């Protein structure tokens, strides 16, 4: 995540590219993209950070799946990326882009989430890899927030709320 300037990024296209690469790597996986019909997915952002965040959330779903999922009859890998907009807390016309990545794997161990949420690792509280850190570092570069939650009956839900200073809406710029 070297320093760089924001460019116009179609997050839907980035999600599609990440899903295509994941399906090539794991052809038996079921990875879906759901886009809210009113979602605006074109933003001004650092493309490298958006891509790194998406790749690592989807890769974590694939890499840590244990074959005991509940979304498919065979227990195989399932993941879904959902894109939608939500208004900001300020109540203005500005919309945040919300990216939700869900899977039906065993979930992220609590100690790994705790290390990420605390912003530091210790000898007793640490993660087993860099994927969650890359997600956090990317979110930091983008000014996004990331939350981790368990799904019922199993799995993980990663919610990324990406504040946008400008969102392209049918060729026009949103007010800033």
């Amino acid at each position: 995540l070297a320093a760089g300037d924001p460019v116009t990024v179609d997050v839907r296209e980035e999600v599609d590219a990440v899903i295509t690469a994941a399906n090539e790597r794991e052809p038996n996986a079921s990875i879906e993209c759901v886009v809210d019909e009113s979602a605006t997915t074109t933003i001004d952002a650092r493309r490298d950070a958006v891509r790194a965040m998406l790749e690592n959330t989807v890769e974590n779903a694939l890499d840590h799946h244990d074959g005991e999922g509940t979304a498919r009859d065979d227990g195989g890998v399932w993941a879904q990326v959902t894109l939608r907009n939500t208004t900001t807390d300020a109540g203005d016309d500005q919309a945040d882009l919300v990216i939700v990545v869900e899977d039906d794997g065993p979930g992220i161990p609590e100690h790994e989430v705790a290390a990420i949420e605390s912003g530091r690792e210790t000898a007793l509280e640490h993660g087993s890899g860099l994927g969650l850190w890359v997600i956090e570092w990317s979110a930091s570069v983008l000014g996004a927030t990331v939350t981790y939650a368990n799904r019922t009956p199993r799995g993980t839900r990663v919610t990324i709320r990406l504040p946008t200073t400008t969102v392209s809406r049918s060729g026009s710029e949103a007010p800033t």
Side-chain angles (χ1 to χ4, degrees):
L1 297 173
D5 294 324
V7 296
T8 300
V9 177
D10 186 332
V11 177
R12 170 63 190 262
E13 288 178 5
E14 296 296 321
V15 168
D16 289 344
V18 166
I19 289 174
T20 297
N23 280 327
E24 288 173 1
R25 197 179 106 208
E26 292 284 335
N28 293 325
S30 296
I31 308 168
E32 309 165 353
C33 180
V34 176
V35 181
D36 184 281
E37 64 185 45
S38 63
T40 301
T41 63
T42 304
I43 63 171
D44 288 332
R46 294 264 311 276
R47 184 181 311 276
D48 62 336
V50 171
R51 179 62 73 100
M53 192 167 45
L54 292 169
E55 285 175 341
N56 280 277
T57 53
V58 172
E59 285 177 13
N60 280 344
L62 297 177
D63 292 345
H64 300 288
H65 200 281
D66 58 3
E68 297 181 20
T70 57
R72 294 174 36 175
D73 291 339
D74 66 357
V77 177
W78 170 87
Q80 178 174 287
V81 181
T82 303
L83 302 173
R84 62 182 169 83
N85 293 120
T86 186
T87 57
T88 63
D89 293 335
D92 55 17
D93 291 335
Q94 189 64 43
D96 288 350
L97 179 58
V98 179
I99 305 166
V100 180
V101 181
E102 298 176 290
D103 67 58
D104 68 344
I108 301 172
E110 282 189 38
H111 71 276
E112 296 214 17
V113 173
I116 296 297
E117 289 177 344
S118 73
R120 63 184 178 84
E121 290 187 326
T122 66
L124 296 176
E125 190 175 82
H126 58 85
S128 61
L130 289 176
L132 295 179
W133 283 110
V134 171
I135 295 165
E136 287 299 312
W137 296 328
S138 300
S140 177
V141 165
L142 296 166
T145 58
V146 180
T147 56
Y148 302 90
N150 293 323
R151 289 185 67 240
T152 301
R154 73 189 310 257
T156 301
R157 177 178 296 113
V158 180
T159 303
I160 302 162
R161 187 173 173 143
L162 182 60
T164 56
T165 53
T166 58
V167 177
S168 297
R169 299 179 195 279
S170 303
S172 65
E173 294 300 314
T176 56

